[in-house]
């Protein structure tokens, strides 16, 4: 292992397109023959890959391409549970990263603090507000972030965000610019994509 997995290329079992490994979904077979999504590319054993496209996952299942690629004819697999598992793993990855960002001192949370940080927008990568944010805070945030040119992302709910931060309910957070913010942004875009498009 070189540790540079971004340079490793893999092929989608459905459309045969090659891409960097990290841009594809990795699948492995469990000991009892279930096909598992290995979102973080960490599970041992032979892996099979597909694009982040419902079309490719569906085609791979229908044509038994996962079974062939994994050289395991016994594999049990359905499209919807696979996509459900993928969504859940991306969600957990995002929430873990939010927790890490807080521990690293990169997060301001709570409406007062976030509105205050927007006075120095050049330090802010983006602001996240939950879908159940109060109307008043929501409209203030929309105005301020638009005026300061800070991207505003809407997802999760107060309870989920609070839990990720290790705090009580939180409806807004601002993230400081940092390498971790970039990783988080990438994962968050992917989360929105798998929830919306897949
Ligand atoms: Zn594909």
């Amino acid at each position: 292992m070189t540790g540079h997995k971004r340079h490793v290329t893999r092929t989608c079992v459905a459309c045969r397109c090659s891409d960097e490994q990290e841009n594809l979904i990795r699948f492995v077979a469990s000991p009892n023959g279930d096909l598992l999504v290995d979102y973080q590319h960490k599970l041992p054993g032979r892996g099979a890959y597909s694009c982040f496209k419902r079309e490719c996952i569906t085609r791979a299942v229908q044509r038994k391409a996962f079974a062939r690629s994994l050289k395991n004819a016994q594999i049990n697999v359905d499209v919807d549970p696979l996509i459900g598992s993928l969504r859940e793993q991306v969600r957990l990855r995002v929430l873990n990263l939010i927790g890490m960002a807080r521990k690293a001192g990169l997060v301001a949370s709570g409406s007062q603090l976030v509105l205050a940080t927007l006075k120095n927008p050049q330090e802010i990568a983006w602001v996240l507000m939950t879908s159940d944010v109060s109307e008043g805070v929501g409209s203030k945030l929309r105005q301020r972030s638009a005026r300061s040119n800070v991207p505003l992302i809407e997802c999760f709910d107060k309870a989920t965000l609070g839990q990720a931060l290790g705090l009580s309910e939180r409806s807004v957070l601002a993230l400081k610019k940092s390498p971790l913010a970039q990783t988080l942004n990438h994962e968050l875009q992917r989360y929105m994509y798998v929830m919306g498009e897949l």
Side-chain angles (χ1 to χ4, degrees):
M1 290 296 283
T2 61
H4 292 281
K5 70 178 178 182
R6 81 190 66 176
H7 299 302
V8 178
T9 297
R10 291 286 182 265
T11 302
C12 170
V13 295
C15 70
R16 312 306 302 174
C17 282
S18 290
D19 201 343
E20 289 173 14
Q21 181 169 287
E22 64 177 10
N23 294 332
L24 297 171
I25 311 169
R26 184 171 193 265
F27 300 85
V28 297
S30 77
N32 60 1
D34 292 323
L35 189 69
L36 306 176
V37 175
D38 175 25
Y39 179 61
Q40 296 211 61
H41 296 218
K42 282 184 177 165
L43 295 177
R46 179 182 270 272
Y49 296 82
S50 88
C51 303
F52 275 83
K53 287 183 189 160
R54 181 177 278 269
E55 189 193 338
C56 284
I57 299 171
T58 305
R59 222 197 303 170
V61 168
Q62 285 167 350
R63 298 183 183 174
K64 304 191 188 308
F66 289 122
R68 265 200 309 282
S69 176
L70 294 171
K71 303 193 190 306
N72 182 343
Q74 313 302 324
I75 281 176
N76 313 308
V77 53
D78 272 313
V79 175
D80 288 339
L82 278 187
I83 289 178
S85 167
L86 173 66
R87 285 176 169 165
E88 184 56 17
Q89 290 184 53
V90 183
R91 180 176 175 276
L92 288 175
R93 170 87 173 130
V94 170
L95 294 171
N96 282 336
L97 286 168
I98 288 175
M100 283 169 59
R102 180 187 176 235
K103 288 186 187 131
L106 299 169
V107 168
S109 71
S111 54
Q112 297 305 323
L113 211 50
V114 169
L115 287 168
T117 60
L118 280 172
K119 290 177 181 153
N120 290 314
Q122 65 284 357
E123 292 177 10
I124 305 300
W126 41 263
V127 169
L128 184 153
M129 71 179 186
T130 62
S131 48
D132 55 355
V133 69
S134 76
E135 227 172 279
V137 172
S139 66
K140 253 189 218 169
L141 268 180
R142 281 191 194 93
Q143 280 173 13
R144 298 272 184 93
S145 57
R147 204 188 303 153
S148 341
N149 254 327
V150 171
L152 180 65
I153 297 155
E154 194 174 331
C155 68
F156 303 125
D157 57 31
K158 289 189 242 187
T160 304
L161 188 60
Q163 210 173 19
L165 292 166
L167 301 167
S168 55
E169 292 188 345
R170 284 291 187 280
S171 55
V172 296
L173 73 76
L175 189 67
K176 268 192 203 158
K177 283 182 183 163
S178 55
L180 186 54
Q182 285 180 6
T183 306
L184 193 37
N185 192 44
H186 174 75
E187 294 291 343
L188 203 46
Q189 298 306 324
R190 193 174 261 175
Y191 176 67
M192 307 288 226
Y193 172 79
V194 300
M195 292 310 284
E197 308 290 322
L198 229 62

